Amino acid sequence: MAFTIAIDGPAAAGKGTISKAVAAHFGFAHLDTGLLYRAVGAKTLTGTPAIAAAQGLQPEDLENDSLRTPEVAQAASKVAAIPEVRAALVDFQRAFARRAGGAVLDGRDIGTVICPQAEAKLFVTASAEVRAKRRFDELAAKGLADDYEAVLRDVRERDDRDMNRSDAPLKPAADAVLLDTSDLSIDEAVRQAISLISERT
Ligand code: CDP
């Protein structure tokens, strides 16, 4: 049986952690769609044109260790504004969403564009300061950041680009349930996400 859970939200809102835990709870497969845009962004940093990179994307491109850096995140949000890049990634995401056994997809446009028929939709948010703090801690632990203000600027810049692009802008689907994680621990955010989704199943 196919069952799709769409989890969208701005940068570093906790979508990744929540999506992994939700997928494990329901025994569903999980796709981090941000990784597709990051992989395309990473290729542009080494000189491949964005549209060609998206059209030629290979599964092994998603295993590149450098995809989590702030430079790649910025490149991802730039290529994500190009309609031909988004178009090249649609079929893969939709096929994943409808696979037998259920799927969780997290991103920016899953509930609005990729899977408007998803059985459950969450929109995960938190204040920009809280999101930047979480991302700063995550990057600092890997030695990839040492300046909170720079991470906050990066988060705001990406949010702004993601919300204001004309193709598939970041916004909650009309039927999405909002989950603000600003004041929640990881465990509490996961617990609330599972309970909100369970109400829909
Ligand atoms: O982990 P974080 O929330 O910082 O970012 P991500 O989910 O890995 O996404 C990186 C960038 O890819 C975003 O800033 C978006 O511009 C883009 N993206 C998108 O446009 N649509 C998606 N479904 C997923 C990501």
Coordinates of all heavy atoms in Angstrom, one line a residue, residues 76-139:
A76 N 22.7 25.1 -3.4 CA 21.5 24.4 -3.6 C 20.3 25.3 -3.7 O 19.4 25.1 -4.6 CB 21.2 23.4 -2.4
S77 N 20.2 26.3 -2.8 CA 19.0 27.2 -2.9 C 19.1 28.1 -4.2 O 18.0 28.5 -4.7 CB 18.9 28.0 -1.6 OG 19.5 29.2 -1.7
K78 N 20.2 28.3 -4.7 CA 20.3 29.0 -6.0 C 19.8 28.1 -7.2 O 19.0 28.6 -8.0 CB 21.7 29.5 -6.3 CG 22.1 30.7 -5.4 CD 23.5 31.2 -5.6 CE 23.9 32.2 -4.5 NZ 25.3 32.3 -4.3
V79 N 20.3 26.9 -7.3 CA 19.8 26.0 -8.4 C 18.4 25.7 -8.2 O 17.7 25.4 -9.2 CB 20.7 24.8 -8.5 CG1 22.1 25.1 -8.8 CG2 20.5 23.8 -7.3
A80 N 17.9 25.7 -6.9 CA 16.5 25.3 -6.7 C 15.5 26.3 -7.2 O 14.3 26.0 -7.3 CB 16.3 25.1 -5.2
A81 N 16.0 27.5 -7.6 CA 15.1 28.5 -8.1 C 14.9 28.4 -9.6 O 14.1 29.1 -10.3 CB 15.6 29.9 -7.8
I82 N 15.7 27.4 -10.2 CA 15.6 27.3 -11.7 C 14.6 26.2 -12.1 O 14.7 25.0 -11.7 CB 17.0 26.8 -12.2 CG1 18.1 27.8 -11.8 CG2 17.0 26.6 -13.7 CD1 19.5 27.3 -12.1
P83 N 13.5 26.6 -12.8 CA 12.4 25.7 -13.0 C 12.8 24.4 -13.7 O 12.3 23.3 -13.4 CB 11.5 26.5 -14.0 CG 11.7 27.9 -13.6 CD 13.2 28.0 -13.3
E84 N 13.8 24.4 -14.6 CA 14.3 23.2 -15.3 C 15.0 22.2 -14.4 O 14.9 21.0 -14.6 CB 15.2 23.5 -16.5 CG 14.5 24.2 -17.6 CD 14.5 25.8 -17.5 OE1 14.8 26.3 -16.4 OE2 14.1 26.4 -18.4
V85 N 15.6 22.8 -13.4 CA 16.3 21.9 -12.4 C 15.2 21.2 -11.6 O 15.2 20.0 -11.4 CB 17.2 22.8 -11.4 CG1 17.6 22.0 -10.2 CG2 18.4 23.2 -12.2
R86 N 14.2 22.0 -11.1 CA 13.1 21.3 -10.3 C 12.4 20.3 -11.2 O 12.1 19.2 -10.7 CB 12.1 22.4 -9.8 CG 12.8 23.6 -9.1 CD 11.7 24.3 -8.2 NE 11.3 23.5 -7.1 CZ 11.9 23.4 -5.9 NH1 13.0 24.0 -5.7 NH2 11.4 22.6 -5.0
A87 N 12.1 20.6 -12.4 CA 11.4 19.7 -13.3 C 12.1 18.4 -13.5 O 11.5 17.3 -13.5 CB 11.1 20.4 -14.7
A88 N 13.4 18.5 -13.5 CA 14.2 17.2 -13.8 C 14.2 16.3 -12.5 O 14.5 15.1 -12.7 CB 15.7 17.6 -14.0
L89 N 13.8 16.8 -11.4 CA 13.8 16.0 -10.2 C 12.4 15.5 -9.7 O 12.3 14.8 -8.8 CB 14.4 16.8 -9.0 CG 15.8 17.4 -9.3 CD1 16.3 18.3 -8.2 CD2 16.8 16.2 -9.5
V90 N 11.4 15.9 -10.5 CA 10.0 15.6 -10.1 C 9.7 14.1 -10.1 O 9.2 13.5 -9.2 CB 9.0 16.4 -10.9 CG1 7.6 15.9 -10.7 CG2 9.0 17.9 -10.6
D91 N 10.0 13.5 -11.3 CA 9.6 12.1 -11.5 C 10.2 11.2 -10.4 O 9.5 10.3 -9.8 CB 10.0 11.5 -12.8 CG 9.2 12.2 -13.9 OD1 8.2 12.9 -13.6 OD2 9.5 12.0 -15.1
F92 N 11.5 11.4 -10.1 CA 12.1 10.5 -9.1 C 11.4 10.7 -7.7 O 11.1 9.7 -7.1 CB 13.6 10.9 -9.0 CG 14.3 10.2 -7.9 CD1 14.7 8.9 -8.0 CD2 14.6 10.8 -6.6 CE1 15.3 8.2 -7.0 CE2 15.2 10.1 -5.6 CZ 15.6 8.8 -5.8
Q93 N 11.1 11.9 -7.4 CA 10.5 12.1 -6.1 C 9.1 11.5 -6.0 O 8.7 10.9 -5.0 CB 10.4 13.6 -5.8 CG 11.8 14.3 -5.6 CD 11.6 15.8 -5.4 OE1 11.4 16.3 -4.3 NE2 11.8 16.6 -6.5
R94 N 8.3 11.7 -7.1 CA 6.9 11.2 -7.1 C 6.9 9.6 -7.1 O 6.1 9.0 -6.4 CB 6.2 11.7 -8.3 CG 5.8 13.1 -8.2 CD 4.7 13.6 -9.1 NE 4.4 15.0 -8.8 CZ 4.3 15.9 -9.8 NH1 4.3 15.6 -11.1 NH2 4.1 17.2 -9.4
A95 N 7.9 9.0 -7.8 CA 8.0 7.6 -7.8 C 8.3 7.1 -6.4 O 7.7 6.1 -5.9 CB 9.0 7.1 -8.8
F96 N 9.2 7.8 -5.7 CA 9.6 7.4 -4.4 C 8.4 7.5 -3.4 O 8.1 6.6 -2.6 CB 10.8 8.3 -3.9 CG 11.4 7.8 -2.6 CD1 12.5 7.1 -2.6 CD2 10.8 8.1 -1.4 CE1 13.1 6.6 -1.4 CE2 11.3 7.7 -0.2 CZ 12.5 6.9 -0.2
A97 N 7.6 8.6 -3.6 CA 6.5 8.9 -2.7 C 5.4 7.8 -2.8 O 4.8 7.5 -1.8 CB 5.9 10.2 -3.1
R98 N 5.3 7.2 -4.0 CA 4.2 6.2 -4.2 C 4.7 4.7 -4.0 O 4.0 3.8 -4.4 CB 3.5 6.4 -5.5 CG 2.9 7.7 -5.7 CD 2.1 8.2 -4.5 NE 0.8 7.5 -4.2 CZ 0.1 7.7 -3.1 NH1 0.5 8.5 -2.2 NH2 -1.0 7.1 -3.0
R99 N 6.0 4.5 -3.6 CA 6.5 3.2 -3.5 C 5.6 2.4 -2.5 O 5.0 3.0 -1.5 CB 7.9 3.2 -3.0 CG 8.2 3.7 -1.7 CD 9.6 4.1 -1.5 NE 10.4 3.0 -1.0 CZ 11.7 2.8 -1.3 NH1 12.4 3.8 -2.0 NH2 12.4 1.8 -0.8
A100 N 5.5 1.1 -2.7 CA 4.8 0.3 -1.8 C 5.4 0.3 -0.4 O 6.6 0.4 -0.3 CB 4.7 -1.2 -2.3
G101 N 4.6 0.3 0.7 CA 5.2 0.2 2.0 C 5.3 1.6 2.7 O 5.6 1.7 3.8
G102 N 4.9 2.7 2.0 CA 4.9 4.0 2.6 C 6.2 4.8 2.5 O 7.3 4.2 2.4
A103 N 6.1 6.1 2.4 CA 7.2 7.0 2.2 C 7.1 8.3 3.0 O 6.0 8.8 3.1 CB 7.5 7.2 0.8
V104 N 8.2 8.8 3.5 CA 8.2 10.1 4.1 C 9.2 10.9 3.3 O 10.3 10.5 3.0 CB 8.8 10.1 5.6 CG1 8.9 11.5 6.1 CG2 8.0 9.1 6.5
L105 N 8.7 12.1 2.7 CA 9.6 12.9 2.0 C 9.7 14.2 2.7 O 8.7 14.8 3.1 CB 9.1 13.2 0.6 CG 9.3 12.0 -0.5 CD1 8.2 11.0 -0.3 CD2 9.2 12.6 -1.9
D106 N 10.9 14.8 2.9 CA 11.0 16.1 3.5 C 11.7 17.1 2.5 O 12.5 16.7 1.7 CB 11.7 16.1 4.9 CG 13.2 15.9 4.8 OD1 13.6 14.7 4.7 OD2 13.9 16.9 5.0
G107 N 11.2 18.3 2.6 CA 11.7 19.3 1.6 C 11.0 20.7 1.8 O 10.8 21.1 2.9
R108 N 10.7 21.3 0.7 CA 10.1 22.6 0.7 C 8.7 22.6 0.0 O 7.9 23.5 0.3 CB 11.0 23.7 0.0 CG 12.4 23.8 0.5 CD 12.4 24.5 1.9 NE 13.7 24.8 2.4 CZ 14.6 24.0 2.9 NH1 14.3 22.7 2.9 NH2 15.7 24.3 3.3
D109 N 8.6 21.8 -1.0 CA 7.4 21.8 -1.8 C 6.7 20.4 -2.0 O 6.0 20.1 -2.9 CB 7.8 22.2 -3.3 CG 8.8 21.2 -3.9 OD1 9.4 20.5 -3.2 OD2 8.9 21.2 -5.1
I110 N 6.9 19.6 -1.0 CA 6.4 18.2 -1.1 C 4.9 18.2 -1.0 O 4.2 17.7 -1.8 CB 7.0 17.3 0.0 CG1 8.5 17.3 0.0 CG2 6.5 15.8 -0.2 CD1 9.2 17.0 -1.3
G111 N 4.3 18.9 0.0 CA 2.9 19.0 0.2 C 2.2 19.9 -0.8 O 1.0 19.7 -1.1
T112 N 2.9 20.8 -1.4 CA 2.3 21.8 -2.4 C 2.4 21.3 -3.8 O 1.4 21.5 -4.6 CB 2.9 23.2 -2.2 OG1 4.3 23.0 -2.3 CG2 2.5 23.9 -0.9
V113 N 3.6 20.8 -4.2 CA 3.8 20.5 -5.6 C 4.1 19.1 -6.0 O 3.5 18.5 -6.9 CB 5.0 21.4 -6.1 CG1 5.4 21.0 -7.6 CG2 4.7 22.9 -6.0
I114 N 5.0 18.5 -5.2 CA 5.4 17.1 -5.5 C 4.3 16.1 -5.2 O 4.0 15.3 -6.0 CB 6.7 16.7 -4.8 CG1 7.9 17.7 -5.1 CG2 7.1 15.3 -5.0 CD1 8.3 17.6 -6.6
C115 N 3.7 16.2 -4.0 CA 2.7 15.2 -3.6 C 1.5 16.0 -3.0 O 1.2 15.8 -1.8 CB 3.2 14.3 -2.5 SG 4.7 13.4 -3.0
P116 N 0.7 16.7 -3.8 CA -0.4 17.4 -3.2 C -1.5 16.4 -2.7 O -2.3 16.8 -1.9 CB -1.0 18.2 -4.4 CG -0.2 17.8 -5.6 CD 1.0 17.0 -5.2
Q117 N -1.4 15.2 -3.1 CA -2.4 14.2 -2.6 C -1.8 13.4 -1.4 O -2.4 12.4 -1.0 CB -2.7 13.1 -3.7 CG -3.0 13.7 -5.0 CD -4.3 14.6 -5.0 OE1 -5.1 14.4 -4.1 NE2 -4.4 15.6 -5.9
A118 N -0.7 13.8 -0.8 CA -0.1 13.1 0.3 C -1.2 12.9 1.4 O -2.0 13.8 1.7 CB 1.1 13.9 0.9
E119 N -1.1 11.7 2.0 CA -2.1 11.4 3.1 C -1.9 12.2 4.3 O -2.9 12.4 5.1 CB -2.0 9.9 3.4 CG -2.7 9.0 2.4 CD -1.9 8.8 1.1 OE1 -0.8 9.2 1.0 OE2 -2.5 8.2 0.1
A120 N -0.7 12.6 4.6 CA -0.5 13.4 5.8 C 0.6 14.5 5.4 O 1.6 14.2 4.8 CB 0.0 12.6 7.0
K121 N 0.4 15.7 5.9 CA 1.3 16.8 5.6 C 1.6 17.6 6.9 O 0.7 18.0 7.6 CB 0.7 17.8 4.6 CG 0.3 17.2 3.3 CD -0.3 18.3 2.4 CE -0.7 17.6 1.1 NZ -1.4 18.6 0.2
L122 N 2.9 17.8 7.1 CA 3.3 18.6 8.3 C 4.1 19.8 7.7 O 4.9 19.6 6.8 CB 4.3 17.8 9.1 CG 3.8 16.9 10.3 CD1 5.0 16.5 11.1 CD2 2.8 17.6 11.1
F123 N 4.0 20.9 8.3 CA 4.9 22.1 8.0 C 5.6 22.4 9.3 O 5.0 22.9 10.3 CB 4.1 23.3 7.5 CG 5.0 24.3 6.9 CD1 5.4 24.2 5.5 CD2 5.4 25.4 7.6 CE1 6.2 25.2 5.0 CE2 6.2 26.4 7.0 CZ 6.6 26.3 5.7
V124 N 6.9 22.1 9.4 CA 7.7 22.3 10.6 C 8.4 23.6 10.5 O 9.2 23.9 9.6 CB 8.8 21.2 10.7 CG1 9.6 21.3 12.0 CG2 8.1 19.8 10.6
T125 N 8.2 24.4 11.6 CA 8.9 25.8 11.6 C 9.6 26.0 13.0 O 9.3 25.2 13.9 CB 7.9 26.9 11.4 OG1 6.9 26.8 12.5 CG2 7.3 26.9 10.1
A126 N 10.4 27.0 13.1 CA 10.9 27.5 14.3 C 11.4 28.9 14.0 O 11.6 29.2 12.8 CB 12.1 26.6 14.8
S127 N 11.7 29.7 15.0 CA 12.2 31.0 14.7 C 13.6 30.9 14.0 O 14.3 29.9 14.2 CB 12.4 31.8 16.1 OG 13.5 31.3 16.8
A128 N 13.9 32.0 13.3 CA 15.2 31.9 12.5 C 16.4 31.8 13.5 O 17.4 31.1 13.2 CB 15.4 33.2 11.7
E129 N 16.3 32.4 14.7 CA 17.4 32.4 15.7 C 17.6 31.0 16.2 O 18.7 30.5 16.4 CB 17.1 33.3 16.9 CG 17.2 34.8 16.5 CD 16.0 35.3 15.7 OE1 15.0 34.6 15.7 OE2 16.1 36.5 15.2
V130 N 16.5 30.3 16.5 CA 16.5 28.9 17.0 C 17.1 28.0 15.9 O 17.9 27.2 16.2 CB 15.1 28.4 17.5 CG1 15.1 26.9 17.7 CG2 14.8 29.2 18.8
R131 N 16.6 28.2 14.7 CA 17.1 27.3 13.6 C 18.6 27.5 13.4 O 19.3 26.6 13.2 CB 16.3 27.6 12.4 CG 14.8 27.1 12.5 CD 14.0 27.2 11.3 NE 13.6 28.6 10.9 CZ 14.0 29.2 9.9 NH1 14.8 28.7 9.0 NH2 13.6 30.5 9.6
A132 N 19.0 28.8 13.4 CA 20.4 29.1 13.2 C 21.3 28.5 14.3 O 22.4 28.0 14.1 CB 20.6 30.6 13.1
K133 N 20.8 28.6 15.6 CA 21.5 28.0 16.7 C 21.7 26.5 16.5 O 22.8 25.9 16.7 CB 20.8 28.3 18.0 CG 21.3 27.7 19.2 CD 22.6 28.3 19.7 CE 23.1 27.9 21.1 NZ 23.6 26.5 21.1
R134 N 20.6 25.8 16.1 CA 20.7 24.4 15.9 C 21.7 24.0 14.8 O 22.5 23.1 14.9 CB 19.3 23.8 15.5 CG 18.4 23.8 16.7 CD 17.0 23.3 16.2 NE 16.0 23.4 17.2 CZ 14.7 23.5 17.0 NH1 14.3 23.4 15.7 NH2 13.8 23.6 17.9
R135 N 21.6 24.8 13.7 CA 22.5 24.5 12.5 C 23.9 24.8 12.9 O 24.8 24.1 12.5 CB 22.0 25.3 11.3 CG 22.8 25.1 10.0 CD 23.0 23.7 9.6 NE 21.8 22.9 9.6 CZ 21.0 22.7 8.6 NH1 21.2 23.3 7.5 NH2 19.9 21.9 8.7
F136 N 24.1 26.0 13.7 CA 25.5 26.3 14.1 C 26.1 25.2 15.0 O 27.2 24.8 14.7 CB 25.4 27.6 14.9 CG 26.8 27.9 15.5 CD1 27.8 28.4 14.8 CD2 27.0 27.7 16.9 CE1 29.1 28.7 15.3 CE2 28.3 28.0 17.4 CZ 29.3 28.4 16.6
D137 N 25.3 24.6 15.9 CA 25.8 23.6 16.8 C 26.2 22.3 15.9 O 27.2 21.7 16.1 CB 24.8 23.2 17.8 CG 24.6 24.2 18.9 OD1 25.4 25.1 19.0 OD2 23.6 24.2 19.6
E138 N 25.3 22.0 15.0 CA 25.5 20.9 14.1 C 26.8 21.0 13.3 O 27.6 20.2 13.2 CB 24.3 20.8 13.2 CG 23.9 19.5 12.5 CD 22.7 19.8 11.6 OE1 21.7 20.3 12.1 OE2 22.8 19.7 10.4
L139 N 26.9 22.2 12.7 CA 28.1 22.5 11.8 C 29.4 22.6 12.6 O 30.4 22.1 12.3 CB 27.9 23.8 11.0 CG 26.8 23.7 9.9 CD1 26.5 25.1 9.3 CD2 27.2 22.8 8.8

